[in-house]
DNA sequence: CTGTTAGCGCGTTCAT
DNA sequence: ATGAACGCGCTAACAG
């Protein structure tokens, strides 16, 4: 086949093989392999050792990934599925987790392969066939992807995998934000600012039939625990949703005499929308209403001055997931652990060109 | 080594090899390979052919990626670098392009590997070593990543690659939005709505020393051409920047007697910010000022009713880039082409719960 | 301690 | 039309 022949020629021109290095250094391939891989028990004459290293450098030797994979049975590759609703919709949240995961993999010499999919739910068969092809050594999944069939396929195959987020099953290796403590601390901080009537605005995707996602349950639990401890309890009306509300409804939430004086919001976009609604109607932020944004630490720069924020590091989260997965792969035994990432303490977004601004009762302790 | 032994055992239990399929079907491995790969010149007795296929299915045979790669010299993998400022900052724009690229790769049987990096500028050595390791057959880069050293490394190596966006060099294979026509059409549409004084608000990252990015130059050229053709020219003051302006400055832009009556905005976030500024100061959108948002087609759902938008399909763009790269890989010859993706026609965002809203002088022709 | 050799699983010539 | 044999590049077992 012509293409094949041409290919080989091109490759043999630019690629240095282990054999070539060995010939150049006048030793056998085995020694080269052992020296370059730092195998123990090689007190090779320090002189030949240098000769080998120099030869490899001179010839720009790079081991063939496929040959090594074939020989060792390890592809040195990790897979991550894109069959996720948030990711498909462009969520930076998942992108940061993905990047953090990739960092961890790269630092350990692993590559990350993206599993193609336009679906929002993964197909178990995709995992199985990729697994059988021996192209990857482990999987990373976002929590929502861990449907019963996928979970079963992964567990029975014995392949290492890790979940990012809260899959609602503590027995599988996972890394998540500590959502309970996170929201609890948000409430605590707002209480320290003098607030007692604090609202928690959440997404409402699951309204109308869907089940409450596990991480939302934890957020609510943390909120209620905080309210009970620091504010003498809360009311159901203080848990509005973010997406079903119009500007008028948002205004109404904070206008009554017993209405909340602070609102915890779950995303940057919601924060911008709520803030716009308030400012457009003469409600001052933070003087009249304090908005506490739950955001990623990468997003804080986009927050308007006068907002409070409580940030978590999603990239670190993905990184941690990668390391957990790698520990499984390299030890061969499932860590069976559940890692919760703590958040930084809440803060005010102070940077402003308006020198008259000052956040009320500033506090910034650990 | 214990781990290695355990590994082999696990693999041999769950993986079916070509040899096993051959033994099960009582033929030689060569025939199995030919039949399963649909090689021409195989009028194998239709009966054995069936036997082979059934055997493969029964044993859940999946070819070993590394073995095939080693044998054919093709890894069936494409690489995409993450060393990009926008991507690192969480840009959904690049994420969609990435997903589109992954779609195209997956459809052709290729996997996509993510090159790890926390940097915003890629290192040429990363590409070269990955290339030498024979782990990928081609590269996809975002335009900003194509710095001189990287470009040189790729060109001299002869490895197939493609740029997404505008690298400012038409000789290399690339896929981009047709930014000239895009902005030209935006102006045309606004002119059709009755506007004559139209502003173009851009990012200002390159102000203060940086060079004007190639795609911004095209956007401006399209804007000016459109203004010259449909509005009798434009003024320099109608090209403000989006990030350096405060609310007051934005208000000022549209408040004078000769100020713009329409503003073209480059992103969803800017759109939200400008709109909030206007509404907060009693400037009605779109009655007083029309805002035309340049967004991705995936984002239109987030636009407030009353905004105009002009969307492009970033996912399709990434897809097209993937196909271009694949054509290079499979033909062996550089396509040396430059593909420009057209945008959909501008539209009003009409969906609203407020029945009193109606966009002025609606037009929606192709 | 080092060199020789046998695979890893697949694609592909060469005989038949 | 089909089977036997070789090689891709590397690692790991076995000799020396």
């Amino acid at each position: 086949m012509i293409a094949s022949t041409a290919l080989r020629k091109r490759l043999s021109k630019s690629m240095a093989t282990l054999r070539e290095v060995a010939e150049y250094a006048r030793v056998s391939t085995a020694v080269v392999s052992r020296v370059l891989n730092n195998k123990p028990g090689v007190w090779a004459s320090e002189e030949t050792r240098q000769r080998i290293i120099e030869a490899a450098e001179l010839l720009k030797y790079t081991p063939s990934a496929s040959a090594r994979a074939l020989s060792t049975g390890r592809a040195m590759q990790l897979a991550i599925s894109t069959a996720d609703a948030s990711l498909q919709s462009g969520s930076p949240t998942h992108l940061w987790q993905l990047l953090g995961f990739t960092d961890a993999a790269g630092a350990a010499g692993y590559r990350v392969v993206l599993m193609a999919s336009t679906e929002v739910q993964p197909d178990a068969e995709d995992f199985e066939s990729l697994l059988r092809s021996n192209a990857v050594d482990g999987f990373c999944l976002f929590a929502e992807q861990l449907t019963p069939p996928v979970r079963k396929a992964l567990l029975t195959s014995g392949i290492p995998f890790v979940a990012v987020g809260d899959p609602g099953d503590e027995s599988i290796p996972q890394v998540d934000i500590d959502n309970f403590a996170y929201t609890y601390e948000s409430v605590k901080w707002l209480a320290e600012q003098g607030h007692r009537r604090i609202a928690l605005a959440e997404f409402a995707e699951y309204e109308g039939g869907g089940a409450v996602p596990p991480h939302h349950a934890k957020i609510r639990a943390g909120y209620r625990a905080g309210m009970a401890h620091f504010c003498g309890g809360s009311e159901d009306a203080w848990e509005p949703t973010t997406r079903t509300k119009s500007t008028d409804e948002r205004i109404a939430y904070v206008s009554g005499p017993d209405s909340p004086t602070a609102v915890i919001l779950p995303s940057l976009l919601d924060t911008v929308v709520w803030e716009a609604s308030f400012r457009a109607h003469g409600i001052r932020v933070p003087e009249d209403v304090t908005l506490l944004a739950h955001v990623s630490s990468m997003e804080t720069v986009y927050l308007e001055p006068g907002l409070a924020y409580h940030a978590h590091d999603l990239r670190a989260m993905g990184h941690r997931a990668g390391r957990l997965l790698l520990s499984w792969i390299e030890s061969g035994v499932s860590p069976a652990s559940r890692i919760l990432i703590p958040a930084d303490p809440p803060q005010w977004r102070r940077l402003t060109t308006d020198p008259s601004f000052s956040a009320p009762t500033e506090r910034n302790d650990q």
Side-chain angles (χ1 to χ4, degrees), chain A:
Chain A
M1 191 184 256
I2 293 183
S4 170
T5 307
L7 187 67
R8 301 235 195 261
K9 257 175 65 178
R10 209 200 64 214
L11 292 181
S12 61
K13 238 179 50 160
S14 65
M15 313 260 308
T17 158
L18 188 67
R19 182 184 201 92
E20 293 174 306
V21 176
E23 286 173 0
Y24 189 93
R26 305 188 64 79
V27 288
S28 95
T29 61
V31 191
V32 178
S33 174
R34 284 189 272 239
V35 167
L36 293 183
N37 290 347
N38 280 322
K39 288 290 177 193
V42 185
W43 260 59
S45 45
E46 196 56 43
E47 174 210 27
T48 43
R49 186 188 183 79
Q50 274 307 320
R51 220 173 46 222
I52 291 173
I53 293 182
E54 279 172 19
E57 211 145 291
L58 181 67
L59 273 54
K60 281 184 173 295
Y61 166 73
T62 311
S64 154
S66 41
R68 177 175 281 181
L70 181 60
S71 178
T72 61
R74 294 248 283 243
M76 297 304 281
Q77 296 195 146
L78 272 26
I80 188 164
S81 171
T82 62
D84 177 88
S86 305
L87 190 69
Q88 295 284 330
S89 72
S91 152
T93 295
H94 285 58
L95 177 54
W96 284 314
Q97 292 167 347
L98 186 58
L99 289 173
F101 181 79
T102 306
D103 290 343
Y110 283 74
R111 290 177 294 276
V112 172
V113 334
L114 237 45
M115 295 174 64
S117 175
T118 58
E119 306 298 322
V120 295
Q121 284 290 321
D123 183 5
E125 174 56 26
D126 292 343
F127 292 91
E128 291 173 339
S129 67
L130 190 57
L131 163 58
R132 282 197 306 268
S133 78
N134 214 301
V136 299
D137 305 314
F139 290 94
C140 175
L141 296 93
F142 297 109
E144 303 77 17
Q145 300 178 320
L146 222 56
T147 57
V150 170
R151 176 184 345 226
K152 189 185 165 201
L154 290 172
L155 285 175
T156 61
S157 76
I159 183 96
F161 69 99
V162 64
V164 174
D166 190 342
D169 176 350
E170 307 210 351
S171 72
I172 66 184
Q174 60 195 271
V175 176
D176 194 14
I177 298 292
D178 189 348
N179 280 307
F180 182 94
Y182 186 35
T183 316
Y184 183 90
E185 292 294 326
S186 296
V187 171
K188 179 185 176 194
W189 187 81
L190 285 169
E192 287 169 355
Q193 309 289 315
H195 295 282
R196 286 298 172 271
R197 300 194 303 277
I198 302 168
L200 176 74
E202 289 185 41
F203 285 106
E205 285 148 4
Y206 52 84
E207 284 196 346
V212 176
H215 68 283
H216 277 182
K218 302 233 169 68
I219 288 173
R220 291 190 159 183
Y223 165 74
R224 287 173 185 163
M227 291 302 287
H229 197 122
F230 301 108
C231 306
S234 67
E235 301 178 10
D236 286 350
W238 295 348
E239 297 182 31
T241 56
T242 59
R243 287 294 157 85
T244 57
K245 300 304 172 191
S246 68
T247 290
D248 290 340
E249 286 173 299
R250 288 191 283 265
I251 300 296
Y253 262 113
V254 296
S255 299
D258 290 336
S259 297
T261 61
V263 183
I264 300 172
L265 290 166
S267 81
L268 175 64
L269 192 56
D270 290 306
T271 306
V272 173
V273 169
W274 280 63
E275 187 201 17
S277 288
F278 286 171
R279 295 210 172 159
H281 286 72
I283 297 176
R284 293 167 305 164
V285 177
E287 293 82 358
D288 298 327
V289 174
T290 291
L291 293 181
L292 177 72
H294 273 186
V295 294
S296 156
S297 49
M298 324 272 307
E299 297 175 307
T300 56
V301 65
Y302 293 113
L303 292 171
E304 290 286 312
L307 287 173
Y309 65 90
H310 196 170
H312 43 220
D313 190 340
L314 294 171
R315 187 157 188 150
M317 184 180 166
H319 192 98
R320 201 70 191 75
R323 300 215 311 141
L324 186 60
L325 178 57
L326 288 167
S327 77
W328 184 348
I329 291 176
E330 306 206 325
S331 74
V333 43
S334 165
S337 64
R338 179 161 167 266
I339 295 175
L340 294 180
I341 310 281
D344 293 330
Q347 290 183 31
W348 286 104
R349 170 91 166 106
R350 306 200 68 245
L351 187 64
T352 172
T353 54
D354 174 7
S356 70
F357 168 75
S358 69
T361 56
E362 181 134 0
R363 248 191 86 120
N364 201 0
D365 53 6
Q366 164 73 10

